Amino acid sequence: MIDFAVFSITIIAVWSVLAISLHLQFGLTGLVNFGQVLPFAVGAYGTAFAAAHGLPAWAGAGIGVTLAPLLGLLVILPASRLAQDYWALVTLGAGEIFRLTMLNVPVIAGGDEGTSVYRFQNADLAMVLALTLLLVTLLFARRVGASPLGRMLRVLREDEVLAATLGRNPFRLQRMVTAASWVMAAAAGVLYAHVTGYISPSSFTVLETFVIWTAVVLGGPSTITGVLLGTVIVQLTSVSTRFVAQWSGLPSDLVANLRLGAYGLVLILVFLYRPQGLIPERKLRYDADRL
Amino acid sequence: MLTVCDLSVSYGRFQALRSVSLQAAPGSILGLIGPNGSGKSTFLNVIAGVQAVASGEVRLDGTLVPLGLPERVAAHGIGRSFQTPRLAHRLTVFQNIMIGARPQAGERLRSLFLQPATVRRREADIQDEARSVLRRLDLSHKANDYAGMLSGGQQKLLSLGMLLMGHPRVLLLDEPAAGVNPVLIERQINLLKELRAEGRIILLVEHNMEMVCGVCDRVVVLDSGAVIAEGDPDAIRRDERVMRSYLGEPA
Amino acid sequence: MRKSLLAACAVVLLSAGWGETGQAAEDAIPVGVIANLTGTDVQSSLDMVHGAQAAADKINASGGIKGDKIKVIVEDSEYRPAAGIEAATKLFDVNKVSAVLVFGGSSVTLPIAEMAQPAGKIVLNTSASSAKLGDYPGTLYSTLPLDDIVGAQLGDYVAKEGVHTAVFIVPNNTFGTGLMDKAAAAFTAHGGKVLKEIAYSEGQPDYRADLQAVQRLKPDAIIGAGYGDDTRTVFRAARELGINAPWYVAYPSIFAVEDPKWMEGRLMGLDNGGLDSPLAKTLSLQATKQYGAAPRPNYYYAYDAMTLLGLAIEKEGTTAADIKKGLPEAVKGYQGATGSIDWDARGQRINPPMDYFVFRNGALQPAPAP
Amino acid sequence: MLQILINTLIYSGEIGIIAVGVALSYSVLRFANFAHIQFAVVGAYLAFTLNQFLHCPLVLAVILAAVLTGGIAVTVDALVFSRLRDVTPEGKMIVSWGVALLLRSTMGAIFGSSSRVFGLEPASLQIGDAFFTSLDVVVVVVAILAMILLHFLLYSTRLGTALRALASNADLAATRGIPARRMVSLMWFICGAYAAIGGSLFALESQLAPNMDLIILLPVFASVTLGGLSNVFGAALGALGLSLAQNLLIGVDFGSWFSANSWSVPTQFRDFIAVGAMVIILLLRPYLARRRRAV
């Protein structure tokens, strides 16, 4: 049980980093990134590329973590002038383009077959690294969220024009958030690659993006506790369906389908009855009467 | 001195503004009136940079103000409020006031992580200033309410307060009195007079003639995107063309 | 409200989790089966599960292994590497299995082997055929021959049939392109000429665009691989485009023939042999009775894998190290549903019995070897 | 070349029927409706059930499936989207993914994850050196009829006028006394029905699987984007253009232009073309829009 728990915690930590990255983009800034899996995949594929071409692991991590924010800027550069639902389509498409490229150009990292990368032999070490990464991103996101910057990002979420007439450059802020959060997601990707030891395109489909979205929307996109709670619930549901299938005697494929359906239902119900998620944004109080 | 020269805007064949020119001196309130669709809001939008422009130029004390770039316009000390107030609805009144302050060290990642002390000091200053602005608006008791929960009149006051935090030299106000109760209108009038006394330039787009006549030093009348009259409020009241374009509105 | 919700979630998840570990029975030998119960190619995957179960049932019916019954635990891989690894971790750690039988393409099997190797566990491969799977000696054993073997055989076969020019048509995945590479190498080694290699995306409604080039090139033959309903659509496209070249394929039994009349005599291929053994026939009848349809070959590979595993456990013991020692012994002289199994030092099948088929009278008929 | 044109027509017919619904709902409700793709899958499954299990004649089965799917779409609107008035467009888009996931897994739970085929055996036809089947003809004819019917519905009936008024300005339409609620329901019905027809054609030509939405999704959204998102017949033209681009790139032998060796774009890049076109058009959109405004 211990090893499985360690593995599960590692995976949950990785997904939590992705969720925090989406929290910065969507929860704070209001950027609808339907290609959240892209920076994750870029991080993982940087590692895979290095492994496939005999480069050291740190080089792979470097490639992934640098390339992801650059791609992010490329995608957001013109897209920042688009309405959010267009940007959603652009990011969705960009993620798919990346996956299709990896699938159809085997020179990069093995095509459909994928590539083995160095795998952490010590599961505890992997968990500690994942938790460390989570802690770093968490502290970063918390510092940003509670700062004047976080306040201005929330203004951007509410009304870009307001931010502009107040003398801020919305695109600069959006670029900054994209770069920072895509670095996070890419780092998660690098770690994920070394945890699973194997990278292939089928790990980075549109569905992965929606697992992250479900978690973030369920927990409450605007708070860190919210997205963490959402991730834990979604990932534990995913893990526990294995046990539920055995325990209940229902066919596994039915249980797997029900699980996906449950994600869908969660998205719908949360928007209908609890649009702010399980943990809504906390009101920051100031003493206005002090002299 | 704010100088607007030959400002024209067109959408396809429709001319929203036809070479509008005007001047406003520091410590004065310039009223901008005209029937609906006469181009008043477009005029403010162009100066504030919210709207791309076809031709013309805007200068503040001789310096050219860039057009179509709201964030750069704001840096020149020009602030605009909107007819339907633009606010961050899911932030509190106090936070809304604070975001008006500029520049904020805490909005740059580098200072946020490398100069926390500077950030903290600036933040404390902003809070102090926000308190005084709230007192000036008489909104202190609403400080911790969400901006979206305020009444229309209070929202207008709030957006004025946001502007004040940026110490603008020019205030572009879009119908601050529309749909606002008389008590709050009175408070706004007093506030505008104070601001004039501080030497700011105020462009006031307003339908409420009582307010216009009460505070404006000069009034410009727009119709179909062109200036049709200009003068002191009393002269404008008597102008025949203005009466005609306002048709039915008591002059 | 929030707290109670959290508490409820925690209780449900934990009870589900711990409840399971409690009931791992002492006197049963757990064996893991990882199959994609969702995702692509579910039907073959289920056949594989049934095959493994049939072998376990047979062992259990005859009193188990030294009195202990085999307990089959099935986990879903969703045809995704991440879920496959999660399934394997759970089986190794929670259910304490020493060995898993894996169904799925190499994109699922390889990552599982990658993690089983350092963990010292055993993987029995019943469906993937990438030549890369040979890189895990002592960890991964296959009951079906890998692409390097079958591909080479296919290339030889086509060349010996007197074909000079050929076009390859395969699905764009590891199986398709891997087989294509090996077959093309063997084919060209015999002096054949490959005019074009087409790797089609799976699941498209129409492959006419893909096949148009073939119409122009007029090859002597088409060499192919593929499975499932996609192959039906590919055949239809070929028929509609008036491409009348014969098809030489690997594993014709997993192709879906679209128009039997048109296909008459036009589809030839080689398949892993041994399925005409009495044991395979009995199993086929049994499975048909139980599940309503004759099973696909993966059923027999899984059956053999489970039986070999049982033999190895009987010989040496239940730990992974025991099984590793026992498997090469168990396979000696074993006559399985897929014929006799010879393993090389890597634990991969060599000299597999090959059957040759031709499509006649609406079904695949045995054909003479070249 | 003729073959390329024929392939283009067939593929764009299948995609186009689905795409017009996405554009229609975008024009009225202003959000990208991902659930629409799933209506196509649901419709195809319904047609399959009616035809294979209840032994309806195929044509009747498809028509019934279209009506039923229309009903499902209306129900989805009543239960979910009509109650999300105040949610932002991106919020509705996220919810539409939720609906899609739910519908997909329902299909998976009922019909199993493995694929199904109708098992039709259409006749082969030939014009010159181009080949096609009787089913292809049916697909193209149905697609054209569906477009004509939609055009008639939108431009020659009072319902259509009302719907278009709603699309161009919802507030104004409300003041003119157009019953917005009923119009939106009608729109959902049309969308569901068209998606079902498109999905059934798709399934008839190939196969039926719960996850076939992922194969349809990208080309459909690419077509809709090419057509300008809220332009119904633009979406149909977008499907045509996209399909032509895909088939040309795959079908033309570029190698023969430069050398004796034949070389064309490998067919697996077909999806690539669709997604690439969508992203490029979206990225260029602000510049295109600005130019239009400046003129």
Side-chain angles (χ1 to χ4, degrees):
Chain A
M1 195 67 203
I2 295 300
D3 284 350
F4 187 59
V6 166
F7 178 78
S8 300
I9 291 173
T10 314
I11 294 295
I12 290 177
V14 169
W15 285 93
S16 298
V17 174
L18 289 176
I20 290 180
S21 155
L22 194 57
H23 154 74
L24 280 178
Q25 294 172 77
F26 176 66
L28 289 188
T29 321
L31 289 168
V32 181
N33 182 355
F34 269 15
Q36 177 64 4
V37 78
L38 174 58
F40 183 54
V42 170
Y45 264 100
T47 308
F49 176 82
H53 293 84
L55 303 171
W58 58 263
I63 294 172
V65 172
T66 353
L67 193 61
L70 291 180
L71 274 179
L73 293 180
L74 201 71
V75 171
I76 200 172
L77 200 66
S80 54
R81 290 171 189 80
L82 293 172
Q84 281 310 311
D85 48 347
Y86 293 2
W87 200 60
L89 283 177
V90 171
T91 44
L92 179 83
E96 273 298 286
I97 285 186
F98 186 79
R99 190 180 68 84
L100 289 171
T101 311
M102 294 305 124
L103 183 69
N104 290 319
V105 189
V107 191
I108 302 174
D112 177 56
E113 190 168 50
T115 307
S116 341
V117 300
Y118 169 75
R119 183 166 187 276
F120 291 128
Q121 299 304 330
N122 184 340
D124 297 342
L125 174 72
M127 181 178 73
V128 169
L129 283 175
L131 288 175
T132 312
L133 178 66
L134 174 59
L135 190 70
V136 170
T137 50
L138 197 147
L139 290 176
F140 177 85
R142 231 181 63 149
R143 179 80 178 119
V144 168
S147 73
L149 176 59
R151 189 167 58 217
M152 190 42 71
L153 294 180
R154 288 183 176 90
V155 174
L156 226 55
R157 176 187 74 190
E158 307 279 312
D159 191 342
E160 278 178 32
V161 177
L162 173 63
T165 54
L166 290 176
R168 270 64 167 207
N169 184 343
F171 309 139
R172 191 187 72 84
L173 290 169
Q174 286 173 343
R175 282 200 297 271
M176 186 173 81
V177 167
T178 304
S181 53
W182 283 39
V183 165
M184 277 179 199
V190 170
L191 198 67
Y192 177 80
H194 289 303
V195 168
T196 55
Y198 203 86
I199 290 305
S200 69
S202 51
S203 303
F204 305 100
T205 61
V206 185
L207 278 182
E208 263 69 24
T209 297
F210 280 90
V211 172
I212 311 172
W213 269 98
T214 308
V216 167
V217 166
L218 169 66
S222 311
T223 57
I224 295 178
T225 359
V227 297
L228 290 182
L229 176 70
T231 308
V232 170
I233 294 178
V234 164
Q235 290 299 319
L236 280 186
T237 324
S238 164
V239 169
S240 65
T241 45
R242 295 198 177 283
F243 297 96
V244 171
Q246 260 164 32
W247 189 44
S248 63
L250 291 172
S252 300
D253 63 336
L254 182 65
V255 174
N257 272 314
L258 293 179
R259 182 183 70 208
L260 265 190
Y263 290 169
L265 200 60
V266 161
L267 281 177
I268 300 168
L269 292 180
V270 167
F271 265 91
L272 278 179
Y273 298 108
R274 221 181 152 79
Q276 294 252 49
L278 291 178
I279 300 186
E281 201 162 19
R282 204 164 49 94
K283 192 193 262 183
L284 256 172
R285 292 183 174 279
Y286 289 89
D287 181 4
D289 300 321
R290 212 179 66 198
L291 282 170
Chain B
M1 181 71 85
L2 177 74
T3 322
V4 177
C5 223
D6 267 344
L7 213 54
S8 297
V9 172
S10 55
Y11 307 111
R13 248 177 253 152
F14 174 65
Q15 281 235 300
L17 285 182
R18 301 161 199 262
S19 96
V20 174
S21 301
L22 53 80
Q23 286 196 333
S28 73
I29 301 181
L30 177 66
L32 210 57
I33 62 171
N36 282 327
S38 58
K40 305 182 302 278
S41 288
T42 307
F43 182 74
L44 292 196
N45 276 343
V46 170
I47 299 180
V50 180
Q51 198 148 10
V53 72
S55 68
E57 60 174 44
V58 178
R59 283 175 190 277
L60 185 58
D61 294 341
T63 327
L64 202 61
V65 176
L67 294 169
L69 298 164
E71 63 271 14
R72 299 260 305 276
V73 173
H76 279 78
I78 300 178
R80 185 210 200 293
S81 79
F82 291 83
Q83 190 181 348
T84 324
R86 283 185 181 269
L87 302 166
H89 289 255
R90 279 157 65 196
L91 294 184
T92 63
V93 169
F94 200 93
Q95 286 174 305
N96 269 282
I97 294 286
M98 285 168 80
I99 58 177
R102 198 162 36 85
Q104 299 200 16
E107 286 180 13
R108 282 196 311 272
L109 270 186
R110 199 172 340 130
S111 8
L112 197 56
F113 286 94
L114 299 181
Q115 304 159 309
T118 319
V119 170
R120 218 176 309 127
R121 263 201 313 277
R122 176 80 178 112
E123 186 71 356
D125 291 346
I126 293 172
Q127 284 181 24
D128 287 341
E129 203 183 341
R131 277 186 205 100
S132 69
V133 167
L134 276 175
R135 268 196 297 277
R136 195 169 175 187
L137 299 171
D138 204 5
L139 275 177
S140 298
H141 60 294
K142 294 280 183 189
N144 288 315
D145 286 6
Y146 284 118
M149 309 295 273
L150 294 186
S151 72
Q154 289 167 331
Q155 290 195 348
K156 294 211 163 169
L157 274 179
L158 176 56
S159 66
L160 195 57
M162 272 160 89
L163 285 186
L164 292 184
M165 288 294 284
H167 307 290
R169 285 191 285 164
V170 181
L171 287 105
L172 311 170
L173 307 181
D174 202 347
E175 301 202 21
V180 177
N181 73 47
V183 181
L184 290 185
I185 291 184
E186 198 56 39
R187 200 184 295 167
Q188 284 188 350
I189 289 177
N190 292 336
L191 201 59
L192 291 185
K193 286 180 177 162
E194 282 172 40
L195 291 171
R196 173 169 57 191
E198 288 166 12
R200 304 186 207 243
I201 304 169
I202 300 174
L203 256 61
L204 177 67
V205 166
E206 189 49 73
H207 278 303
N208 183 323
M209 288 307 283
E210 216 168 309
M211 186 175 190
V212 172
C213 295
V215 297
C216 292
D217 304 302
R218 255 169 357 109
V219 175
V220 167
V221 186
L222 280 181
D223 192 9
S224 309
V227 177
I228 56 168
E230 189 173 354
D232 62 72
D234 289 333
I236 291 296
R237 264 175 195 263
R238 291 188 297 269
D239 192 297
E240 226 172 275
R241 280 188 303 172
V242 179
M243 301 267 282
R244 237 178 293 130
S245 83
Y246 261 104
L247 215 67
E249 203 148 318
Chain C
M1 156 74 191
R2 192 186 307 157
K3 267 185 192 145
S4 60
L5 199 80
L6 275 176
C9 288
V11 166
V12 168
L13 295 169
L14 287 177
S15 61
W18 296 113
E20 176 56 31
T21 42
Q23 58 176 250
E26 288 299 313
D27 54 348
I29 303 165
V31 173
V33 170
I34 300 176
N36 55 292
L37 304 167
T38 50
T40 45
D41 208 13
V42 174
Q43 202 51 52
S44 309
S45 182
L46 289 175
D47 277 350
M48 175 264 179
V49 175
H50 295 157
Q53 191 65 54
D57 287 348
K58 192 171 168 194
I59 294 171
N60 292 343
S62 59
I65 301 168
K66 296 175 182 159
D68 293 343
K69 303 243 156 131
I70 285 185
K71 185 175 170 229
V72 177
I73 302 162
V74 185
E75 289 291 339
D76 189 5
S77 70
E78 304 168 26
Y79 221 100
R80 294 192 308 130
I85 291 174
E86 189 185 288
T89 312
K90 190 229 159 199
L91 285 168
F92 292 150
D93 185 44
V94 180
N95 303 104
K96 310 283 180 214
V97 305
S98 302
V100 290
L101 274 63
V102 181
F103 178 88
S106 23
S107 64
V108 177
T109 313
L110 282 168
I112 293 174
E114 194 74 38
M115 66 161 297
Q117 194 168 39
K121 302 286 185 176
I122 304 292
V123 176
L124 287 150
N125 163 33
T126 67
S127 77
S129 53
S130 160
K132 264 195 190 172
L133 291 161
D135 299 343
Y136 304 90
T139 297
L140 187 138
Y141 301 84
S142 303
T143 50
L144 77 169
L146 302 186
D147 288 339
D148 45 356
I149 308 280
V150 178
Q153 299 246 16
L154 179 63
D156 286 349
Y157 169 46
V158 180
K160 281 179 192 161
E161 289 279 293
V163 172
H164 297 296
T165 59
V167 167
F168 275 89
I169 300 175
V170 296
N172 184 30
N173 58 24
T174 315
F175 165 67
T177 52
L179 206 77
M180 175 165 75
D181 292 345
K182 300 291 176 193
F187 180 58
T188 41
H190 282 89
K193 187 165 189 290
V194 178
L195 299 178
K196 192 174 173 64
E197 295 185 339
I198 297 170
Y200 59 82
S201 309
E202 295 160 85
Q204 295 295 325
D206 176 12
Y207 292 110
R208 249 171 304 209
D210 306 65
L211 293 187
Q212 264 165 38
V214 184
Q215 213 181 1
R216 251 190 340 260
L217 295 168
K218 301 207 184 340
D220 292 351
I222 296 167
I223 307 179
Y227 44 79
D229 299 308
D230 279 334
T231 55
R232 182 197 314 269
T233 321
V234 170
F235 282 145
R236 185 162 81 204
R239 180 170 61 81
E240 287 164 15
L241 290 172
I243 298 168
N244 290 318
W247 289 71
Y248 290 89
V249 304
Y251 312 116
S253 60
I254 55 174
F255 277 69
V257 170
E258 176 245 359
D259 180 344
K261 269 207 292 295
W262 180 77
M263 210 76 233
E264 177 78 17
R266 188 165 279 152
L267 175 67
M268 281 144 288
L270 52 84
D271 211 326
N272 297 315
L275 293 182
D276 49 354
S277 69
L279 174 58
K281 291 205 167 105
T282 325
L283 284 173
S284 172
L285 280 178
Q286 183 193 324
T288 311
K289 213 168 93 188
Q290 203 171 347
Y291 304 110
R296 288 157 219 231
N298 302 98
Y299 181 92
Y300 308 106
Y301 295 129
Y303 180 90
D304 280 352
M306 184 63 90
T307 311
L308 281 174
L309 190 63
L311 288 171
I313 292 173
E314 190 161 22
K315 279 198 168 69
E316 299 288 342
T318 57
T319 68
D322 294 337
I323 295 170
K324 184 177 164 186
K325 214 176 335 153
L327 273 175
E329 298 294 317
V331 80
K332 277 184 192 137
Y334 172 70
Q335 277 297 324
T338 60
S340 66
I341 295 178
D342 293 335
W343 271 339
D344 58 13
R346 305 174 301 165
Q348 302 306 325
R349 223 170 152 174
I350 44 170
N351 309 320
M354 277 290 163
D355 285 345
Y356 295 85
F357 293 97
V358 61
F359 190 86
R360 278 193 204 293
N361 303 325
L364 288 170
Q365 312 289 347
Chain D
M1 200 61 206
L2 185 59
Q3 185 74 51
I4 291 177
L5 289 178
I6 288 177
N7 294 350
T8 301
L9 275 183
I10 299 163
Y11 190 66
S12 59
E14 291 162 356
I15 294 296
I17 298 184
I18 305 177
V20 288
V22 175
L24 184 61
S25 67
Y26 194 95
S27 72
V28 175
L29 301 174
R30 300 277 152 202
F31 75 96
N33 185 4
F34 286 100
H36 187 88
I37 310 295
Q38 210 60 44
F39 291 151
V41 182
V42 171
Y45 266 107
L46 285 174
F48 181 80
T49 312
L50 288 165
N51 178 241
Q52 305 278 314
F53 299 140
L54 304 175
H55 308 292
C56 273
L58 191 57
V59 177
L60 186 64
V62 172
I63 293 173
L64 277 177
V67 174
L68 287 174
T69 313
I72 292 174
V74 171
T75 317
V76 164
D77 175 46
L79 288 178
V80 183
F81 291 102
S82 67
R83 298 161 67 176
L84 291 174
R85 283 274 159 60
D86 303 330
V87 172
T88 54
E90 51 269 27
K92 287 184 191 144
M93 187 167 63
I94 297 164
V95 175
S96 78
W97 256 106
V99 173
L101 275 181
L102 190 61
L103 288 176
R104 165 209 269 237
S105 59
T106 312
M107 289 301 114
I110 298 173
F111 294 96
S113 301
S114 42
S115 56
R116 313 265 182 156
V117 279
F118 276 89
L120 292 185
E121 289 187 356
S124 254
L125 304 169
Q126 185 176 3
I127 301 178
D129 54 357
F131 297 82
F132 53 96
T133 64
S134 48
L135 180 62
D136 297 337
V137 178
V138 172
V139 167
V140 175
V141 169
V142 169
I144 293 172
L145 285 180
M147 294 303 156
I148 294 174
L149 179 66
L150 189 62
H151 194 275
F152 175 76
L153 268 177
L154 288 183
Y155 290 92
S156 308
T157 64
R158 274 166 68 190
L159 285 177
T161 317
L163 206 51
R164 281 184 299 127
L166 200 62
S168 62
N169 190 336
D171 296 331
L172 197 63
T175 59
R176 297 252 173 88
I178 290 169
R181 189 69 226 104
R182 274 196 358 241
M183 283 298 125
V184 170
S185 291
L186 175 77
M187 185 221 77
W188 280 90
F189 182 84
I190 297 175
C191 286
Y194 268 67
I197 295 172
S200 301
L201 293 179
F202 210 95
L204 281 170
E205 283 273 14
S206 57
Q207 51 181 313
L208 188 54
N211 59 356
M212 70 193 253
D213 56 334
L214 293 181
I215 293 161
I216 311 177
L217 174 76
L218 291 169
V220 164
F221 270 88
S223 306
V224 176
T225 314
L226 281 174
L229 276 165
S230 54
N231 182 341
V232 175
F233 295 99
L237 287 179
L240 203 60
L242 180 73
S243 179
L244 185 64
Q246 287 183 328
N247 281 299
L248 272 180
L249 275 173
I250 291 166
V252 170
D253 185 355
F254 293 103
S256 62
W257 295 1
F258 306 107
S259 65
N261 298 328
S262 99
W263 185 87
S264 49
V265 176
T267 54
Q268 63 262 39
F269 285 91
R270 181 166 19 199
D271 282 350
F272 210 94
I273 298 166
V275 189
M278 178 175 92
V279 170
I280 289 169
I281 292 290
L282 280 173
L283 291 184
L284 291 180
R285 205 179 152 81
Y287 302 108
L288 298 176
R290 185 173 303 166
R291 176 158 306 169
R292 212 171 296 149
R293 183 183 287 181
V295 170

